[in-house]
Amino acid sequence: MQKDDILRLLRDVNLIPSEKQTLLSNIAAQAAAMDMPCYIVGGFVRDLLLSKPVSDLDIIVEGDAVKFGNALVKKFGGKLTPHHKFHTAIWHLPETWNLVPGTLDLITARKETYERRGALPAVTPSTIKDDLLRRDFTINAMAIRLDGDHFGELLDPLNGQADLEEGLIRILHPRSFIDDPTRIFRAIRYEARYSFNLEHSTFGLINFESLDVIPRLSGERIRHEFDLIFEEEKSSQMILRAGELGLFKPIHPKLPLFNPDYSDFLEMDPTLDIPASRTAMGYMLWLMDSSEDEILSIGRRLDFTSELTYSVWAVSQLKKSLPFLTGSTPSVWTFALEKLPLLSIYVVYLVAREDALLDFLSLWRHVKPHTTGDDLKARGLEPGPRFGEILIQLRAAWLDGDVHSFDDELHLLEMWLK
Ligand code: CTP
């Protein structure tokens, strides 16, 4: 691609919103003023060349990113969080710019060495070329230079452009997946997201040797990869592929394959007013047929929050109890479901299509009697366990259609209090 083509893409507001274009020119001007070669790298370049709206900006300088950040703050405002040890900084952009996200990562071009398989690498400042060579795939190893007259120059030392055109995901060296097996998950994401293919030898390197490093990855790092998968549009394709490539056993021997029958359910119905989370739904669908012990053990391996483990457990328990609840009155359903996370109930509804679950989510959970504890006190009742009992019974009467109006409710209450 010629520089002119890239400039055209960089000026396309359908790909880069104009506020972000302004941010880029401000960065470019400051870098030029400091004579500091400055680049935009990674996913931004990949998506731009694919003419897709770009994601977050990652800025790399050949020079000291902290010094560059301080100069940007001085000139444009905002705040800087420097990480001297890593030669990086986070620029908290001026609030008046109203940009989302409101921060920008500034990174010193670096070389990486992996001292131990699966561990995070040691970094030393270096050139942009070295920085591109340390990356995961050729399609992510391109940079566009920003400073001064260089604005719009593409650096593509590994021929990422050709792979983008052919739709190939290619690692940069044979040890890449061994150094960092999270890249296998990343490859799977790109493969489905862009309908690309794993280049032949890259595919071959997802083998016994690289899978063998997966057990060394921390639970948090692995879970992060699955979180990213569940946030993607084609998540079901990705999670099925991860199972097919044998990624689960090295993570946890009991991690099941994702049931393809559930793969259409990864989307949330937004009309139901339930706090939604695509990632939580993903884990619930994935693990709902596992045993209680397996869920607890997998949750520990993947460093789930206790809330997530509970929600997944609730799905499996509810699914198992459905045969005992089917045919019950609305009040029995309601009192059985009430303590469970709404999203867990919704997920069981998706797979079991038990109408009572949907009735609970859309109607029954909102049904409350008019009478309150204060009303009972006003009628001379002593507060105590009986209070709660009466209120529960009144609610059950509404749920089960024994009362239809406030008058009915009062009538029932008076009968009970006689
Ligand atoms: N990267 C890498 N190895 C990893 C993670 C990241 O080489 N294990 C590099 C890639 O060059 C990637 C860049 O760091 O492009 C930024 O990473 P990230 O923000 O995770 O990915 P994006 O490229 O922005 O892609 P996505 O759209 O999937 O977020």
Side-chain angles (χ1 to χ4, degrees), residues 19-20 22-24 26-27 57 68-81 90-104 106:
E19 321 76 77
K20 277 203 178 147
T22 311
L23 173 64
L24 282 181
N26 288 342
I27 292 169
L57 315 183
F68 184 50
N70 280 324
L72 286 168
V73 167
K74 197 161 168 215
K75 177 97 193 266
F76 300 107
K79 254 179 42 201
L80 199 75
T81 309
I90 301 172
W91 181 17
H92 303 267
L93 303 169
E95 275 172 26
T96 47
W97 289 3
N98 272 329
L99 278 165
V100 181
T103 57
L104 184 71
L106 304 169

Coordinates of all heavy atoms in Angstrom, one line a residue, residues 19-20 22-24 26-27 57 68-81 90-104 106:
E19 N -12.1 13.1 16.5 CA -11.4 13.4 17.7 C -10.1 12.6 17.8 O -9.1 13.1 18.3 CB -12.2 13.1 19.0 CG -13.7 13.4 19.0 CD -14.5 12.4 18.3 OE1 -14.7 11.3 18.8 OE2 -15.0 12.6 17.2
K20 N -10.2 11.3 17.4 CA -9.0 10.5 17.5 C -8.0 10.9 16.4 O -6.8 10.9 16.7 CB -9.3 9.0 17.3 CG -9.8 8.4 18.6 CD -9.7 6.9 18.6 CE -10.2 6.4 20.0 NZ -10.8 5.1 19.9
T22 N -7.5 14.0 15.6 CA -6.9 15.2 16.2 C -5.8 14.8 17.2 O -4.7 15.3 17.2 CB -7.9 16.1 16.9 OG1 -9.0 16.3 16.0 CG2 -7.4 17.4 17.3
L23 N -6.2 13.8 18.0 CA -5.2 13.2 19.0 C -4.0 12.8 18.3 O -2.8 13.1 18.7 CB -5.9 12.1 19.8 CG -5.0 11.3 20.7 CD1 -4.5 12.2 21.9 CD2 -5.8 10.1 21.3
L24 N -4.1 12.0 17.2 CA -3.0 11.5 16.5 C -2.1 12.7 15.9 O -0.9 12.6 16.0 CB -3.4 10.7 15.3 CG -3.8 9.2 15.6 CD1 -4.2 8.5 14.3 CD2 -2.7 8.5 16.3
N26 N -1.9 15.7 17.2 CA -1.2 16.3 18.3 C 0.0 15.5 18.7 O 1.1 16.1 19.0 CB -2.2 16.4 19.5 CG -3.2 17.5 19.3 OD1 -3.1 18.4 18.4 ND2 -4.3 17.4 20.1
I27 N -0.1 14.2 18.8 CA 1.0 13.3 19.2 C 2.1 13.5 18.1 O 3.3 13.6 18.5 CB 0.5 11.9 19.3 CG1 -0.4 11.7 20.4 CG2 1.7 10.9 19.4 CD1 -1.1 10.4 20.5
L57 N -5.6 2.9 20.5 CA -4.3 3.3 19.9 C -3.2 2.8 20.8 O -3.3 2.9 22.1 CB -4.2 4.8 19.9 CG -5.4 5.7 19.4 CD1 -5.0 7.1 19.4 CD2 -5.8 5.2 18.0
F68 N 8.4 11.6 26.8 CA 7.5 12.0 25.7 C 6.1 12.3 26.4 O 5.5 13.3 26.1 CB 7.3 10.8 24.7 CG 6.4 11.2 23.6 CD1 6.6 12.4 22.8 CD2 5.4 10.3 23.2 CE1 5.8 12.6 21.7 CE2 4.6 10.6 22.1 CZ 4.8 11.8 21.4
G69 N 5.7 11.4 27.3 CA 4.4 11.6 28.0 C 4.4 12.9 28.8 O 3.4 13.6 28.8
N70 N 5.5 13.2 29.5 CA 5.6 14.4 30.3 C 5.4 15.6 29.4 O 4.7 16.6 29.7 CB 6.9 14.5 31.1 CG 6.8 13.6 32.3 OD1 5.8 13.5 33.0 ND2 7.9 13.0 32.7
A71 N 6.1 15.6 28.2 CA 6.0 16.7 27.3 C 4.5 16.8 26.8 O 4.0 18.0 26.6 CB 6.9 16.5 26.1
L72 N 3.9 15.7 26.5 CA 2.5 15.8 26.0 C 1.6 16.4 27.1 O 0.7 17.3 26.8 CB 2.0 14.4 25.7 CG 2.5 13.8 24.4 CD1 2.2 12.3 24.3 CD2 1.9 14.5 23.1
V73 N 1.8 16.0 28.3 CA 1.0 16.6 29.4 C 1.2 18.1 29.5 O 0.3 18.9 29.7 CB 1.3 15.9 30.7 CG1 0.7 16.6 31.9 CG2 0.7 14.4 30.7
K74 N 2.5 18.5 29.4 CA 2.8 19.9 29.5 C 2.1 20.7 28.4 O 1.6 21.8 28.7 CB 4.4 20.0 29.4 CG 4.9 21.4 29.9 CD 6.3 21.3 30.3 CE 6.8 22.7 30.5 NZ 8.2 22.9 30.0
K75 N 2.2 20.1 27.2 CA 1.6 20.9 26.1 C 0.1 20.8 26.1 O -0.6 21.8 25.8 CB 2.2 20.2 24.8 CG 1.7 20.8 23.5 CD 2.6 21.8 23.0 CE 2.0 22.6 21.8 NZ 2.4 22.1 20.5
F76 N -0.5 19.6 26.3 CA -2.0 19.5 26.1 C -2.8 19.3 27.4 O -4.0 19.3 27.3 CB -2.2 18.3 25.1 CG -1.6 18.4 23.8 CD1 -0.5 17.7 23.5 CD2 -2.1 19.3 22.9 CE1 0.1 17.8 22.2 CE2 -1.5 19.5 21.6 CZ -0.4 18.7 21.3
G77 N -2.1 19.0 28.5 CA -2.9 18.8 29.7 C -3.1 17.3 30.0 O -2.5 16.5 29.4
G78 N -3.9 17.0 31.0 CA -4.1 15.7 31.4 C -3.1 15.3 32.4 O -2.5 16.2 33.1
K79 N -2.9 14.0 32.7 CA -2.0 13.5 33.7 C -1.3 12.3 33.2 O -1.7 11.6 32.3 CB -2.9 13.0 34.9 CG -2.9 14.0 36.1 CD -3.7 13.5 37.3 CE -3.6 12.0 37.5 NZ -4.7 11.4 38.2
L80 N -0.1 12.1 33.8 CA 0.7 10.9 33.4 C 0.9 10.0 34.5 O 1.2 10.4 35.6 CB 2.1 11.4 32.8 CG 2.8 10.4 31.9 CD1 2.1 10.4 30.6 CD2 4.3 10.8 31.8
T81 N 0.7 8.7 34.2 CA 1.2 7.6 35.2 C 2.4 7.0 34.6 O 2.2 6.2 33.6 CB 0.1 6.6 35.4 OG1 -1.1 7.3 35.8 CG2 0.4 5.7 36.6
I90 N 1.1 5.8 31.0 CA -0.3 6.0 30.6 C -0.6 7.5 30.7 O -0.4 8.1 31.7 CB -1.2 5.2 31.6 CG1 -0.8 3.7 31.6 CG2 -2.7 5.4 31.2 CD1 -1.6 2.9 32.6
W91 N -1.1 8.0 29.6 CA -1.5 9.4 29.5 C -3.0 9.4 29.7 O -3.8 8.9 28.9 CB -1.1 9.9 28.2 CG -1.5 11.4 28.0 CD1 -1.8 12.3 28.9 CD2 -1.6 12.1 26.7 NE1 -2.0 13.6 28.4 CE2 -1.9 13.5 27.0 CE3 -1.4 11.7 25.4 CZ2 -2.1 14.4 26.1 CZ3 -1.6 12.7 24.4 CH2 -1.9 14.0 24.7
H92 N -3.4 10.1 30.8 CA -4.8 10.3 31.1 C -5.2 11.6 30.4 O -4.8 12.6 30.8 CB -5.1 10.4 32.6 CG -4.6 9.2 33.4 ND1 -5.4 8.1 33.7 CD2 -3.4 8.9 33.9 CE1 -4.7 7.2 34.3 NE2 -3.5 7.6 34.4
L93 N -5.9 11.4 29.3 CA -6.1 12.5 28.4 C -7.0 13.6 29.0 O -7.8 13.3 29.9 CB -6.9 12.0 27.1 CG -6.1 10.9 26.4 CD1 -7.0 10.2 25.3 CD2 -4.8 11.4 25.7
P94 N -6.8 14.9 28.6 CA -7.6 15.9 29.2 C -9.1 15.6 29.1 O -9.5 15.1 28.0 CB -7.3 17.1 28.3 CG -6.0 16.8 27.6 CD -5.9 15.3 27.5
E95 N -9.8 15.8 30.2 CA -11.2 15.4 30.2 C -12.1 16.1 29.1 O -13.0 15.5 28.6 CB -11.8 15.6 31.6 CG -11.5 14.5 32.5 CD -11.9 14.7 33.9 OE1 -12.8 15.5 34.2 OE2 -11.3 14.1 34.8
T96 N -11.7 17.4 28.8 CA -12.4 18.1 27.9 C -12.4 17.5 26.5 O -13.2 17.8 25.6 CB -11.9 19.6 27.8 OG1 -10.5 19.5 27.6 CG2 -12.2 20.4 29.0
W97 N -11.5 16.6 26.2 CA -11.4 16.0 24.9 C -12.5 14.9 24.7 O -12.7 14.4 23.6 CB -10.0 15.3 24.7 CG -8.9 16.3 24.5 CD1 -9.1 17.7 24.5 CD2 -7.5 16.1 24.2 NE1 -7.9 18.3 24.3 CE2 -6.9 17.3 24.1 CE3 -6.8 14.9 24.0 CZ2 -5.5 17.4 23.8 CZ3 -5.4 15.0 23.8 CH2 -4.8 16.3 23.7
N98 N -13.0 14.5 25.9 CA -14.2 13.5 25.8 C -13.9 12.3 25.0 O -14.7 11.8 24.2 CB -15.4 14.2 25.2 CG -16.2 14.9 26.3 OD1 -16.2 14.4 27.4 ND2 -16.8 16.0 26.0
L99 N -12.7 11.7 25.1 CA -12.3 10.6 24.3 C -12.6 9.3 25.1 O -12.4 9.2 26.3 CB -10.9 10.6 23.9 CG -10.6 11.5 22.7 CD1 -9.1 11.8 22.6 CD2 -11.1 10.8 21.4
V100 N -13.0 8.2 24.4 CA -13.2 6.9 25.0 C -12.3 5.9 24.3 O -12.4 5.9 23.0 CB -14.7 6.5 24.9 CG1 -14.8 5.1 25.6 CG2 -15.6 7.5 25.5
P101 N -11.4 5.2 24.9 CA -11.1 5.3 26.3 C -10.3 6.7 26.6 O -9.8 7.3 25.7 CB -10.2 4.1 26.6 CG -9.5 3.8 25.2 CD -10.5 4.2 24.2
G102 N -10.4 7.1 27.9 CA -9.8 8.3 28.2 C -8.3 8.3 28.5 O -7.7 9.2 29.0
T103 N -7.7 7.1 28.2 CA -6.2 7.0 28.5 C -5.6 6.5 27.2 O -6.2 5.9 26.3 CB -6.0 5.9 29.6 OG1 -6.6 4.7 29.2 CG2 -6.5 6.4 30.9
L104 N -4.3 6.7 27.2 CA -3.5 6.3 26.0 C -2.2 5.7 26.5 O -1.5 6.3 27.3 CB -3.2 7.5 25.1 CG -2.5 7.3 23.8 CD1 -3.4 6.6 22.9 CD2 -2.0 8.6 23.2
L106 N 1.6 4.8 26.2 CA 2.8 5.3 25.5 C 4.0 4.3 25.9 O 4.2 4.1 27.0 CB 3.2 6.7 26.0 CG 2.1 7.8 25.8 CD1 2.5 9.0 26.6 CD2 1.9 8.1 24.4

